[in-house]
Amino acid sequence: MSRSVRLVPALAALLALALTGTACDGGVRGTPGGSGVRDPYFPKAGNGGYDVGHYALTLDYTPATRRLTGTAVVTARATRDLSAFDLDLAGLRVDSVTVEGKDARWSRAGQELTVRPHDDLSEGETFRTTVHYSGTPRTLTDPDGSEEGWLPTADGALALGEPVGSMAWFPGNHHPSDKASYDITVTVPKGLQAVSNGELTDQRTKDGRTAYHWHCAQPMASYLATVAIGHYDIARTTGPHGLPVVTAVDPTQAGASRKVLAKIPEILDWEENNFGPYPFSSAGVIVDRRRDAGYALETQTRPVFPADQLTTSILVHELAHQWYGDSVTPRSWQDMWLNEGFAQYAEWLYQEDFGDKSAEERFTELYEENDEAVWAFPPGKPSGAAHISDTPVYERGAMVLHKIRQKVGDDTFYDIIQGWAAAHRHGTASTADFTAYVESKAPHRDFGGIWKDWLYGDGRPAHP
């Protein structure tokens, strides 16, 4: 619903001309930025015409009423002359929108919030959009049936975003190709905690409510943003090189999770040895009750775990995502195997060093089992949006990495995976970028068969 007043026909025609043509100052002729970035699996996700540099989110939430009041200040740079642009927002009521401090016209259509600034925006111009919004945030259902978005819990809420759930609690450019820094301030009733990404920089209580301000300086894709509200036992320790480690654990799960969580420093140290320097300024985890979420997720700097899924292997997996998926983020959802194949292979490598089975043995067993689920589709081209987190993306994705290791040997393989994380640190990358990078590091090797049969080929390759 647009917040603009009803216009007489002549005035409406003049305004329409102004919105699509010359700006008020007569200097810029902008066009609408458009909705969606043509992602092959989520075509409505993201928006064109701008690149976000920073989100400042100020949230106030009361679990008893499930009411969220929010202000999002989105600082972005126009990548072309704009007369309008879109933000993704599912549900919630928009109360007002300004661009550079001036009231902006806006309209809603599905998940699209279309903003028409008072003055057109010039290519290269940095602009600030402020959206005031409120309501009961939604829980969204993925194409694969899992839930994301804003998940009410027994004592608060949990916000999870992969692949597009973050649009349920703040407006933004919700596609992994557009990363930004974040400041997230969450106010809750006194006695509850609010945990998010990055570092806690301020905590203040006033009039029976406590505000927690979290700062994430390194770029983050919006699907990796999280907020956990409830009762938590919060511990602050250190990891490699004095890295701050913050763990937030539901008190009912503290005893059961203590032994696994104590391994975080040694796992991070092992992963640094294998993958290169840790890419962020803090680490940690959030552990909630079993029924609060049905899956673990690699939310940046602070992965989220249901208590029943907190095992050493899953901890290795989600922490490995801090390099592969969080720091190096897929350019589109078709590149999901660059997240999950790497994290799955991290489990294999950890088992190789601390368990009783080598990665070669895992690879051979998986191939010989001939599980139809593994060969349902190639990891480089999932069969649809409902399948971007299916078995081939994980297991066969890990097999692609092992085939590369077989081809080049351990020394070059570790140069590849460490160099890949360094070359695209805090950026985005595609599968084509990865295959080109591998070939550049081993120019005398032929990888054509690996790409053709293992990465993009249908069915089970003839030879392991």
Side-chain angles (χ1 to χ4, degrees):
M1 179 182 68
S2 175
R3 304 292 292 182
S4 59
V5 297
R6 185 178 181 89
L7 301 174
V8 298
L11 182 57
L14 289 173
L15 180 56
L17 179 62
L19 287 171
T20 57
T22 304
C24 295
D25 63 5
V28 177
R29 292 182 180 273
T31 58
S35 61
V37 292
R38 298 183 178 87
D39 186 277
Y41 297 93
F42 296 90
K44 294 182 180 180
N47 300 287
Y50 65 94
D51 179 72
V52 179
H54 184 71
Y55 290 94
L57 307 177
T58 303
L59 311 175
D60 190 296
Y61 186 69
T62 302
T65 62
R66 296 189 177 181
R67 178 176 175 79
L68 176 72
T69 301
T71 298
V73 181
V74 184
T75 302
R77 179 181 57 84
T79 57
R80 61 177 184 262
D81 295 343
L82 291 174
S83 62
F85 58 90
D86 282 24
L87 297 168
D88 300 314
L89 181 65
L92 297 170
R93 184 185 72 192
V94 174
D95 299 310
S96 66
V97 182
T98 63
V99 178
E100 285 298 287
K102 297 179 180 181
D103 288 341
R105 297 181 66 236
W106 55 270
S107 60
R108 303 285 299 272
Q111 71 183 51
E112 301 299 327
L113 168 60
T114 301
V115 179
R116 298 169 181 84
H118 181 273
D119 303 311
D120 282 10
L121 302 167
S122 304
E123 180 179 356
E125 178 180 352
T126 297
F127 62 98
R128 184 176 63 184
T129 304
T130 302
V131 182
H132 295 282
Y133 58 100
S134 59
T136 302
R138 296 179 180 177
T139 298
L140 306 180
T141 301
D142 285 346
D144 67 4
S146 61
E147 293 185 334
E148 59 175 287
W150 194 267
L151 310 178
T153 63
D155 56 356
L158 181 61
L160 299 176
E162 186 179 307
V164 293
S166 293
M167 67 180 176
W169 56 282
F170 70 95
N173 198 23
H174 291 300
H175 189 265
S177 60
D178 192 1
K179 302 171 71 170
S181 58
Y182 281 73
D183 281 281
I184 302 176
T185 301
V186 187
T187 301
V188 294
K190 182 181 177 181
L192 296 180
Q193 289 82 42
V195 184
S196 189
N197 312 87
E199 294 77 56
L200 182 67
T201 61
D202 190 36
Q203 176 181 332
R204 299 183 182 184
T205 299
K206 181 180 179 181
D207 298 330
R209 300 183 72 80
T210 303
Y212 299 84
H213 180 191
W214 294 84
H215 176 65
C216 189
Q218 292 84 24
M220 178 167 67
S222 67
Y223 81 91
L224 298 169
T226 190
V227 170
I229 297 169
H231 296 287
Y232 293 99
D233 290 339
I234 298 178
R236 292 173 173 82
T237 57
T238 57
H241 323 297
L243 178 74
V245 176
V246 178
T247 59
V249 183
D250 186 287
T252 65
Q253 310 302 322
S257 63
R258 187 174 294 113
K259 185 176 180 180
V260 175
L261 294 181
K263 298 181 181 181
I264 291 177
E266 67 183 55
I267 290 173
L268 288 172
D269 185 64
W270 176 83
E271 292 186 333
E272 280 202 331
N273 288 333
N274 284 272
F275 310 140
Y278 182 75
F280 302 113
S281 50
S282 67
V285 302
I286 298 168
V287 181
D288 242 315
R289 304 182 192 196
R290 182 179 62 184
R291 292 178 295 276
D292 290 345
Y295 51 89
L297 188 64
E298 62 271 20
T299 44
Q300 190 160 304
T301 68
R302 203 135 297 120
V304 172
F305 298 84
D308 60 328
Q309 293 188 27
L310 182 61
T311 65
T312 299
S313 291
I314 299 300
L315 184 59
V316 168
H317 182 110
E318 303 304 338
L319 291 178
H321 273 310
Q322 304 307 302
W323 283 262
Y324 308 109
D326 294 14
S327 177
V328 184
T329 301
R331 193 160 296 154
S332 86
W333 289 111
Q334 183 171 328
D335 303 307
M336 184 71 157
W337 83 276
L338 291 173
N339 290 18
E340 302 302 348
F342 272 85
Q344 191 73 13
Y345 199 67
E347 291 188 52
W348 293 14
L349 293 175
Y350 190 86
Q351 176 74 12
E352 184 171 86
D353 285 353
F354 298 102
D356 58 1
K357 189 175 295 184
S358 68
E360 178 71 22
E361 290 171 319
R362 290 284 297 271
F363 174 89
T364 301
E365 285 180 1
L366 197 58
Y367 182 84
E368 292 179 348
E369 285 172 1
N370 195 21
D371 183 350
E372 290 183 2
V374 175
W375 312 109
F377 56 81
K381 194 173 182 180
S383 54
H387 304 293
I388 63 170
S389 294
D390 280 6
T391 301
V393 175
Y394 288 69
E395 299 286 9
R396 192 167 165 185
M399 296 178 88
V400 170
L401 295 175
H402 193 71
K403 291 298 295 184
I404 295 170
R405 184 181 178 187
Q406 288 177 331
K407 175 75 71 173
V408 302
D410 278 7
D411 288 346
T412 301
F413 176 74
Y414 281 99
D415 285 346
I416 288 172
I417 62 174
Q418 291 178 15
W420 172 251
H424 294 279
R425 184 180 176 94
H426 303 315
T428 62
S430 67
T431 298
D433 293 329
F434 178 72
T435 57
Y437 184 83
V438 170
E439 291 171 356
S440 73
K441 293 300 180 181
H444 303 298
R445 302 281 187 173
D446 181 7
F447 295 93
I450 296 177
W451 309 149
K452 176 178 177 293
D453 297 332
W454 291 87
L455 182 56
Y456 289 115
D458 292 323
R460 179 171 176 255
H463 302 288

